[in-house]
Amino acid sequence: MNLAPRRSPSNATEQTERQALTELLPPPNVPDLTPEREQLLKHTVLREAALAEPAPTRSVRTARTPRQRRLLVRVLAPALACSVVAGGVLAADLMTDSDPSTTATPTPAPVQAAPAAQLLNRVALAAAEGEQPQVKDDQFVYVESKVAYAGQSADGGAVTLPAAHRRQVWLSADGSRTGLLREAGKPDSQLGADAPVYTIERPGATPKPSASGSGPSISNPTHAYVAGLPTDPDALLDLIRKASHGQGQSADQRAFTAIGDLLMETWAPPKVSAALYRAAAKIPGVTVVQSAQDAAGREGVAVARTTRGQQTQWIFDRESHAFLGERTVLTEAGDAGPAGTVVGSSAILTKAAVDRAGAAPRR
């Protein structure tokens, strides 16, 4: 009896039969996973798949990154790999990524310092690397600068700022000797041991010695006093707040003014200078002025504080962060002039140690 040869099923028929048989079988169990953890595993895999899926684009195909390819392999594992892979590899990921007991608490973003504080801290770093002054107790600290102070006529009206002139001051290092102030166009002034620093009370006023005291202080500093100031910014600012006084200003403005006076006409050690800048960075209301010019015409960046319609600016070199000088500008229009009027300007040229008042420093 002749039998017709058996024909092999077509590929399509074979695949259909296998798919039908696969659907009749129950899904394989994942060992060592409770229904709750299996559900959690599913959510974890789906979440990572969503994160890894690139956003759709039009007519552009982009290659997946290694990170995306690794995540896609993990997503396909439950459907293609055996139960050992699902239970061993993916369950380990579940323990590290989704277990509440091992989930790290997000770290809050660091608070950024204000621009003025950032600039002053950079200036402090530069000052800390500055030259250490070598001043003996029987010597004088010599400071040469250019200054200009606005004046007002007897009839009133707007103030005028004359051309900057040369200013030289010799300050006794330990306060035991008479100092000297010399300004172009004016007679020399003797500086007593108790008043080495001249101050200006208001725009157009004549500079005069600060108030006498029982000894060196923040308002009457000597080199020896400044060299012994605290190098901790908080302790230094607290000392300055308590020691500074005058003209009914707020404690913050008095501190800012006092630090500016110390920067202008003292020669502090690097660590003290750095502490002064860091202390100023802690004073509220200090801002940045992107461009300012000192009395010598040098342009730089400044930190400033405004009070009663006037803004005091400390000007720094943009590259070296060296302190160049000060400037006072009106921020409100008034009898003295319109807003933006410069009523005071200075520029530090030289600081040195000399043996006697009136002597020029060695070049």
Side-chain angles (χ1 to χ4, degrees), residues 68-221:
Q68 291 171 327
R69 287 196 296 269
R70 185 174 67 84
L71 290 175
L72 289 176
V73 170
R74 292 173 61 186
V75 170
L76 295 174
L80 301 179
C82 64
S83 60
V84 175
V85 175
V89 176
L90 292 179
D93 282 346
L94 179 64
M95 291 295 294
T96 57
D97 295 340
S98 301
D99 192 337
S101 64
T102 59
T103 301
T105 302
T107 303
V111 178
Q112 295 294 328
Q118 292 177 348
L119 175 57
L120 285 168
N121 285 326
R122 289 196 297 270
V123 171
L125 289 175
E129 301 297 327
E131 178 185 1
Q132 175 70 36
Q134 302 296 328
V135 186
K136 300 177 182 178
D137 289 344
D138 60 350
Q139 288 186 307
F140 292 81
V141 172
Y142 170 80
V143 181
E144 179 182 354
S145 59
K146 293 187 72 173
V147 299
Y149 304 113
Q152 194 171 33
S153 66
D155 298 334
V159 300
T160 57
L161 187 71
H165 63 270
R166 187 184 187 196
R167 170 186 169 93
Q168 297 168 284
V169 63
W170 289 262
L171 306 174
S172 175
D174 64 359
S176 64
R177 293 164 178 77
T178 302
L180 177 66
L181 171 66
R182 179 174 292 166
E183 291 192 71
K186 298 180 181 180
D188 290 354
S189 300
Q190 301 294 318
L191 299 180
D194 60 345
V197 175
Y198 271 48
T199 60
I200 302 174
E201 293 183 356
R202 63 185 184 280
T206 301
K208 65 180 182 180
S210 55
S212 300
S214 58
S217 64
I218 290 295
S219 58
N220 294 309

Side-chain angles (χ1 to χ4, degrees), residues 276-302:
L276 287 170
Y277 291 122
R278 292 192 173 102
K282 297 176 178 292
I283 299 176
V286 181
T287 59
V288 173
V289 177
Q290 294 298 334
S291 181
Q293 195 173 75
D294 70 6
R298 298 174 298 190
E299 192 274 341
V301 62

